[in-house]
Amino acid sequence: MQEAHDAPPLELVDIRKSFSEGKGRLNVLKGANLTLYPGQIVALVAPSGAGKSTLLQIAGLLERPDEGEVYIGGVACGRASDSQRTAIRRNDIGFVYQFHHLLPEFTALENVALPQLIRGLDRKEAEERSRQLLGYMRLSERVTHRPAELSGGERQRVAIARAVANAPRLLLADEPTGNLDPKTAAYVFDALVALVRASGLAAVLATHNLELAERMDRRITLEDGLVLEI
C-alpha cells in the first residue's frame, strides 16, 4: 500500500455509519467529510450522542464505515485487511483517551517505550526517545514512577507521550482533559499543543471545553450526521 506524496494525514470522504436500535437503524453519520493537514489542531465540539466517538473510531481505523472512504496519508483504508489496518494504527495514528490506560506495573518510561519496542526499535533507542518525549512533557523527574505514583495531569501527559512515541502522522484525542480540573486541563492542553506544533502531526481533539476549543486552529461539529465548520 503506497502513500501519496504530501497527502493529508487524514481524509474522510462521504462517511456513513448506522447502528441497530431496536427494530430499526440509528443513522449516526450521513456523509461526513473531513480533511486534516500537517501541524493542524482541530477541535471537535458536539453534544453527547452526536457521533463524536464514532467519527474518531472510524478515523482511527477501529471501526469500518458502512460507506465512504478513510485515507491515512493518502492510503485508502476501507478495503485494507485487519493486519494492514493494525499496522497503520501502530505506525501512523496515536490515540489519547479521557482515561490514560497506562499499564500500572510499568514506569512512565516503560509505558512510553513499549509501543516503540512493539514496532521493532531496540531498547536503548526506545528508552532514549522516551526520555526525550517525557522531558518535553516536563516529566523528566517522573520517568521511574508508576502510574499510581503520578497525578492525574502527569498520567495524561505520559499517555500523550506514549501516543506520539512512534511519530504518527495523526493524533486522535477523545476528551483528553475531561477528567482534569481546569488548571491541570489547561496545562495538559498546552503541552499537547506544543508537541503537535513541534512534530508537525495533525490532531483532532473531541472536547466539551469551549475555552480550549477556541485556542485550536479549527472548530468543527457534527450536525445531522455531517461535519460542519464552526
Side-chain angles (χ1 to χ4, degrees):
M1 300 176 70
Q2 292 187 331
E3 60 191 54
H5 183 62
D6 292 333
L10 172 67
E11 192 171 5
L12 303 178
V13 180
D14 198 27
I15 298 296
R16 298 171 188 272
K17 184 69 176 180
S18 63
F19 298 94
S20 296
E21 186 181 55
K23 294 182 180 179
R25 302 287 296 178
L26 176 64
N27 296 313
V28 178
L29 300 175
K30 305 176 185 178
N33 294 282
L34 176 64
T35 302
L36 258 69
Y37 298 97
Q40 190 174 66
I41 307 173
V42 177
L44 173 56
V45 183
S48 297
K52 293 193 302 294
S53 293
T54 299
L55 189 76
L56 289 177
Q57 287 172 337
I58 288 173
L61 308 185
L62 295 169
E63 282 193 35
R64 294 181 187 265
D66 298 331
E67 297 179 44
E69 187 58 274
V70 180
Y71 295 90
I72 304 293
V75 175
C77 300
R79 292 182 175 82
S81 67
D82 288 343
S83 61
Q84 288 172 322
R85 288 162 67 88
T86 298
I88 293 169
R89 279 199 305 272
R90 183 173 62 236
N91 298 331
D92 293 327
I93 305 173
F95 297 91
V96 183
Y97 299 99
Q98 189 168 346
F99 185 72
H100 56 79
H101 294 295
L102 298 175
L103 298 172
E105 67 273 23
F106 291 149
T107 65
L109 184 73
E110 290 166 339
N111 266 284
V112 178
L114 189 59
Q116 301 171 73
L117 296 173
I118 291 171
R119 189 175 181 178
L121 261 67
D122 68 74
R123 182 172 295 277
K124 184 179 179 182
E125 188 177 352
E127 290 186 352
E128 183 177 330
R129 177 168 167 76
S130 298
R131 286 184 191 279
Q132 290 175 345
L133 283 169
L134 289 168
Y136 199 86
M137 301 301 286
R138 303 180 200 172
L139 291 168
S140 294
E141 305 300 315
R142 313 293 275 169
V143 294
T144 60
H145 290 63
R146 289 180 170 80
E149 301 169 308
L150 302 172
S151 70
E154 288 170 340
R155 287 194 289 265
Q156 277 302 79
R157 280 183 280 151
V158 174
I160 291 166
R162 180 184 59 184
V164 301
N166 279 335
R169 66 178 75 228
L170 174 65
L171 180 67
L172 302 172
D174 196 354
E175 295 286 349
T177 61
N179 283 336
L180 306 175
D181 65 82
K183 185 177 179 180
T184 305
Y187 190 88
V188 170
F189 176 77
D190 287 343
L192 178 57
V193 168
L195 200 57
V196 170
R197 297 280 187 246
S199 60
L201 57 81
V204 181
L205 276 69
T207 182
H208 284 104
N209 189 322
L210 298 180
E211 187 177 332
L212 294 184
E214 285 295 327
R215 297 170 56 192
M216 299 189 213
D217 301 320
R218 289 167 60 196
R219 285 155 297 284
I220 60 173
T221 190
L222 281 165
E223 191 172 305
D224 195 29
L226 300 176
V227 174
L228 302 178
E229 299 280 340
I230 302 176

